[in-house]
């Protein structure tokens, strides 16, 4: 059946198809789910992750002229959102200060300091505000997707496939679970979907650059969110060029326009070139480094791919590829999509280090083939229920995977239980704790000053660089290299200065963070050495994942995605500070 003549297409009256309102209802369900799990029934303290912290921190401390910390592409545009949110909070605080009395020029800067200090005490409220902005942005992009699909020419997109494609696109894991988290996946997914839909189903009038320019701007924004999508350029740029009509002049114009848009959407390419090059090179080295016993990374496939409720959808991809090649009219564009997906799949699963974020381009490119798999079955069976039934099954499995993750996150978090435990300890109590808790719980002024000295200690910084470069860096570091490596330290210094200045003495516990790789952060202490110090009484309490032969004063070990934590008391007489 898949080899029938190109002109054969089942005749379906558009009057018998579902109304476009069903499509908007699907979008509403997707965004409603993200709003529910973000604000009505969120996990403990919301989806607070290290990446969220870095993105929000970078935005807030742009007020101080600091280079954004998250220049390895977790959401550069979202950094600007948090910058604007911080500016807005400063404006509100300035109005309040002016209304309550005189506000001097110096007082204006003090308001900025105190706004940043309040944020550092509890990052969650601002992160929640940024999360709402992201959800609204993704919702707007999904509405744009619906409009593109319903306006598509029937010769490009069969009307019967419109609603199933929207169901597959909107009720997807990367919308339902990635959008509520301030990471680039949700926005990147939606941006790729809009750009791809315009390439596949948009109308490209001769000599008009309006739609191509829109697509190129979307691609620039996409890359600014998740650099990994640069590996989808064969489809994105190649498909756009074929839809416009091939010529060398158009090809050069496309590349030139894209470069201009990238400079506009990623201003830090201008101001922090070496920092971005370091982030790009470091990310690539991490991804391909290491050794494997086979061509594909079977450890990742066995642990992450095969157990997923959506793994059965992989069977549909070859069917969808055949159907897409058969019924999509532009064979060159179809070949680029299928070929790009195949080559990227081989590349990703050959890598020694894979995270679920690395497979995002695979999932976004594959959704079109999943929809066309249903269309192929529809052509074979001549029954519309096969198309709509398969779309429903695809959505249900994606929703099931999302609900399973959400159910796990909704369990009481041992991580935040430990954070609450720390707040109940007497001020200045020496506590040795896992590095996971860095920047989560307020620490004493004494701890802040100690960390500030460690960050500014060039001897410790040299040790860190030696670890990062495998001992191949000289003691005289080129200034350009030092600048590209030091954005973490500059941000940390600003934060510790603000916190140390405004944190009252004798208020919070004296926290020290241990790590087996202490040399990567100046103020982290070595795990082996610090455990020995705990045994001799330098620290009153030790909080760790490990089961140790010391007096256990608290256990946080109920089922939780955070893992178990145990609180031990030193066997020695605690030393006086």
């Amino acid at each position: 059946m898949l080899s029938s003549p190109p002109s054969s297409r089942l005749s379906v009256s558009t009057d018998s198809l579902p109304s476009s309102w069903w499509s908007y209802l699907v979008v509403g369900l997707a965004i409603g789910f993200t709003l529910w799990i973000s604000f009505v029934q969120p996990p403990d303290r919301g989806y607070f992750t290290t990446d969220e912290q870095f993105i929000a921190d970078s935005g807030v401390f742009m007020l101080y002229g600091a280079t954004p910390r998250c220049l390895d592409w977790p959401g550069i545009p979202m950094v600007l959102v948090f910058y604007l949110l911080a500016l807005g909070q400063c404006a509100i605080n300035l109005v309040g200060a002016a209304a309550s009395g005189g506000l001097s020029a110096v007082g204006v800067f003090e308001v900025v300091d105190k706004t940043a200090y309040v944020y550092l005490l509890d990052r969650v409220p601002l992160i929640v505000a940024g999360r709402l902005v992201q959800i609204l942005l993704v919702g707007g992009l999904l509405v744009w997707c619906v409009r593109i699909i319903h306006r598509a020419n029937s010769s490009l997109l069969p009307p019967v496939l419109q609603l199933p494609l929207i169901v597959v696109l909107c009720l997807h894991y990367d919308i339902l679970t990635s959008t509520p988290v301030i990471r680039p996946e949700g926005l990147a997914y939606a941006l790729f979907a809009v750009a791809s839909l315009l390439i596949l189903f948009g109308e490209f009038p001769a000599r008009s650059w309006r739609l191509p320019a829109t697509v190129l701007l979307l691609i620039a924004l996409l890359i600014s969110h998740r650099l990994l999508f640069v590996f989808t350029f064969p489809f994105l740029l190649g498909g756009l060029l074929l839809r416009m009509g091939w010529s060398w002049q158009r090809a050069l114009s496309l590349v030139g326009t894209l470069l201009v848009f990238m400079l506009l959407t990623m201003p830090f390419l201008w101001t922090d070139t070496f920092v971005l090059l370091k982030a790009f090179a470091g990310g690539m080295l991490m991804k391909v480094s290491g050794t494997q016993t086979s061509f594909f990374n079977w450890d990742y496939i066995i642990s992450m791919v095969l157990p997923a409720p959506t793994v059965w959808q992989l069977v549909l991809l070859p069917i969808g590829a055949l159907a897409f090649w058969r019924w999509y009219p532009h064979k060159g564009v179809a070949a680029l999509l299928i070929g790009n997906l195949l080559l990227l799949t081989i590349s990703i699963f050959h890598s020694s280090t894979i995270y679920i974020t690395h497979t995002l381009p695979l999932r976004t490119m594959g959704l079109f083939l999943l929809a066309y798999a249903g269309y192929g079955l529809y052509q074979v069976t001549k029954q519309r229920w096969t198309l709509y039934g398969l779309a429903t099954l695809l959505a249900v499995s994606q929703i099931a995977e999302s609900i399973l993750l959400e159910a796990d996150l909704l369990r009481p978090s041992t991580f935040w239980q430990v954070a609450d435990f720390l707040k109940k300890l007497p001020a200045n109590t020496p506590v040795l704790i896992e590095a996971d808790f860095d920047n989560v719980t307020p620490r004493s002024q004494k701890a802040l000053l100690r960390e500030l000295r460690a960050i500014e200690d060039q001897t410790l910084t040299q040790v860190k660089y030696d670890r990062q470069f495998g001992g191949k860096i000289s003691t005289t570091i080129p200034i350009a290299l030092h600048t590209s490596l030091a954005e973490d330290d500059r941000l940390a210094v600003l934060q510790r200065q603000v916190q140390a200045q405004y944190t009252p003495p004798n208020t919070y516990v004296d926290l020290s963070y241990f790590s087996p790789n202490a040399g990567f952060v100046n103020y982290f202490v070595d795990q082996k050495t610090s455990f020995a110090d705990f045994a001799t009484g330098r620290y009153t309490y030790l909080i760790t994942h490990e089961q140790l032969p010391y007096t256990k004063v608290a256990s946080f070990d109920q089922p939780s995605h955070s893992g178990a934590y145990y609180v031990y008391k030193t066997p020695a007489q605690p030393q006086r500070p």
Side-chain angles (χ1 to χ4, degrees):
M1 290 294 182
L2 292 178
S3 60
S4 56
S7 59
S8 68
R9 188 174 281 170
L10 295 183
S11 176
V12 178
S13 170
T14 56
D15 293 336
S16 65
L17 295 176
S19 165
S20 61
W21 286 108
W22 284 97
S23 300
Y24 291 107
L25 177 61
V26 171
V27 173
L29 288 173
I31 299 305
F33 180 83
T34 62
L35 289 171
W36 177 270
I37 63 177
S38 293
F39 302 103
V40 179
Q41 191 66 51
D44 286 351
R45 311 301 201 283
Y47 298 85
F48 184 89
T49 67
T50 301
D51 288 318
E52 285 193 304
Q53 170 198 309
F54 285 151
I55 293 168
D57 284 8
S58 296
V60 171
F61 281 87
M62 281 181 67
L63 294 169
Y64 293 79
T67 298
R69 160 63 181 83
C70 53
L71 289 179
D72 51 342
W73 277 272
I76 287 179
M78 286 306 299
V79 171
L80 299 178
V81 168
F82 280 100
Y83 171 66
L84 294 175
L85 289 173
L87 273 179
Q89 186 63 57
C90 286
I92 293 172
N93 293 343
L94 284 170
V95 171
S100 61
L103 184 63
S104 65
V106 175
V108 171
F109 293 98
E110 188 176 52
V111 167
V112 175
D113 272 358
K114 290 183 177 179
T115 301
Y117 175 68
V118 170
Y119 163 76
L120 292 172
L121 284 178
D122 185 3
R123 290 168 165 84
V124 173
L126 192 68
I127 287 176
V128 169
R131 189 174 298 144
L132 178 59
V133 173
Q134 178 159 287
I135 291 173
L136 295 177
L137 288 173
V138 171
L141 289 169
L142 292 183
V143 170
W144 193 357
C145 289
V146 170
R147 292 171 66 85
I148 295 169
I149 290 172
H150 279 284
R151 291 178 178 181
N153 192 298
S154 60
S155 64
L156 294 173
L157 179 64
V160 73
L161 189 53
Q162 291 176 349
L163 181 59
L165 179 57
I166 291 167
V167 168
V168 171
L169 186 153
C170 295
L171 299 179
H172 192 275
Y173 176 88
D174 288 299
I175 289 293
L176 301 177
T177 62
S178 297
T179 301
V181 185
I182 306 300
R183 282 185 50 85
E185 280 71 42
L187 266 175
Y189 176 97
L191 286 166
F192 182 87
V194 174
S196 300
L197 289 171
L198 289 173
I199 292 171
L200 292 171
F201 309 121
E203 298 290 344
F204 290 83
R207 297 195 179 124
S208 173
W209 272 83
R210 181 176 179 180
L211 185 57
T214 300
V215 174
L216 290 172
L217 181 58
L218 289 168
I219 293 173
L221 288 169
L222 172 66
I223 299 305
S224 73
H225 277 81
R226 175 54 78 185
L227 183 63
L228 192 61
F229 275 96
V230 74
F231 297 107
T232 65
F233 272 15
F235 163 62
L236 291 175
L237 293 183
L240 178 58
L241 183 58
L242 290 181
R243 290 299 316 277
M244 293 177 65
W246 162 263
S247 75
W248 282 109
Q249 183 180 4
R250 282 201 183 99
L252 292 174
S253 299
L254 282 178
V255 174
T257 305
L258 178 61
L259 289 175
V260 171
F261 284 157
M262 288 178 65
L263 291 174
L264 292 174
T265 56
M266 290 189 285
F268 307 118
L269 282 172
W270 297 55
T271 60
D272 299 286
T273 306
F274 286 119
V275 175
L276 267 71
L277 289 175
K278 177 208 71 172
F280 175 75
M284 291 297 102
L285 287 174
M286 182 195 72
K287 181 172 170 49
V288 301
S289 64
T291 58
Q292 293 177 212
T293 57
S294 60
F295 184 82
F296 289 112
N297 189 333
W298 286 105
D299 289 339
Y300 181 84
I301 294 172
I302 292 172
S303 62
M304 295 297 295
V305 178
L306 296 182
T310 53
V311 66
W312 65 274
Q313 297 179 8
L314 298 177
V315 179
L316 298 175
L317 291 178
I319 300 173
L322 289 173
F324 188 65
W325 174 261
R326 163 64 187 82
W327 280 290
Y328 184 71
H330 295 282
K331 300 305 179 188
V333 178
L336 285 172
L337 175 60
I338 297 168
N340 199 166
L341 178 60
L342 179 60
L343 292 176
L344 188 56
T345 300
I346 294 172
S347 171
I348 292 294
F349 287 103
H350 176 63
S351 302
S352 58
T353 302
I354 309 176
Y355 298 107
I356 191 171
T357 56
H358 295 160
T359 60
L360 176 65
L362 303 181
R363 298 192 296 274
T364 53
M365 295 179 77
L367 70 91
F368 296 103
L369 302 188
L370 292 176
Y372 267 86
Y375 186 67
L377 295 177
Y378 163 70
Q379 290 284 349
V380 170
T381 61
K382 315 297 185 187
Q383 298 293 325
R384 203 190 310 174
W385 67 265
T386 58
L387 172 58
Y388 285 75
L390 182 60
T392 301
L393 286 176
L394 290 170
V396 167
S397 62
Q398 294 286 344
I399 293 170
E401 186 166 357
S402 303
I403 290 176
L404 287 174
L405 174 62
E406 179 64 16
D408 179 59
L409 293 174
L410 282 175
R411 291 187 297 183
S413 171
T414 56
F415 182 84
W416 290 107
Q417 289 172 355
V418 171
D420 291 336
F421 171 83
L422 290 172
K423 295 176 183 178
K424 299 174 184 177
L425 294 177
N428 294 318
T429 301
V431 178
L432 181 63
I433 191 169
E434 297 267 2
D436 301 346
F437 291 89
D438 186 25
N439 297 330
V440 171
T441 301
R443 61 265 255 175
S444 67
Q445 188 183 66
K446 177 183 176 182
L448 292 165
L449 292 172
R450 182 176 65 245
E451 291 176 5
L452 184 58
R453 289 192 298 269
I455 296 168
E456 295 176 328
D457 189 327
Q458 292 305 306
T459 302
L460 293 175
T461 300
Q462 179 65 44
V463 172
K464 178 170 66 176
Y465 292 166
D466 286 341
R467 288 184 64 97
Q468 291 174 344
F469 287 88
K472 297 179 181 179
I473 189 169
S474 65
T475 54
T476 305
I477 304 173
I479 299 302
L481 176 60
H482 176 77
T483 300
S484 69
L485 295 174
E487 83 277 6
D488 289 7
D489 293 339
R490 290 197 297 273
L491 178 60
V493 165
L494 280 171
Q495 291 178 333
R496 298 307 180 276
Q497 288 174 334
V498 170
Q499 290 172 297
Q501 182 162 325
Y502 294 98
T503 296
N506 305 319
T507 305
Y508 302 115
V509 293
D510 183 8
L511 296 174
S512 296
Y513 303 93
F514 70 85
S515 170
N517 299 312
F520 285 106
V521 177
N522 285 20
Y523 57 85
F524 284 179
V525 294
D526 178 71
Q527 179 171 331
K528 184 177 180 180
T529 302
S530 61
F531 275 30
D533 289 339
F534 167 74
T536 60
R538 180 172 179 179
Y539 306 100
T540 304
Y541 297 104
L542 166 62
I543 301 178
T544 178
H545 287 297
E546 299 184 34
Q547 293 270 18
L548 299 174
Y550 299 116
T551 302
K552 190 182 299 182
V553 297
S555 298
F556 305 97
D557 54 1
Q558 73 270 33
S560 168
H561 59 277
S562 306
Y565 291 99
Y566 305 101
V567 183
Y568 302 99
K569 190 170 184 178
T570 180
Q573 183 68 29
Q575 300 175 6
R576 291 183 177 274

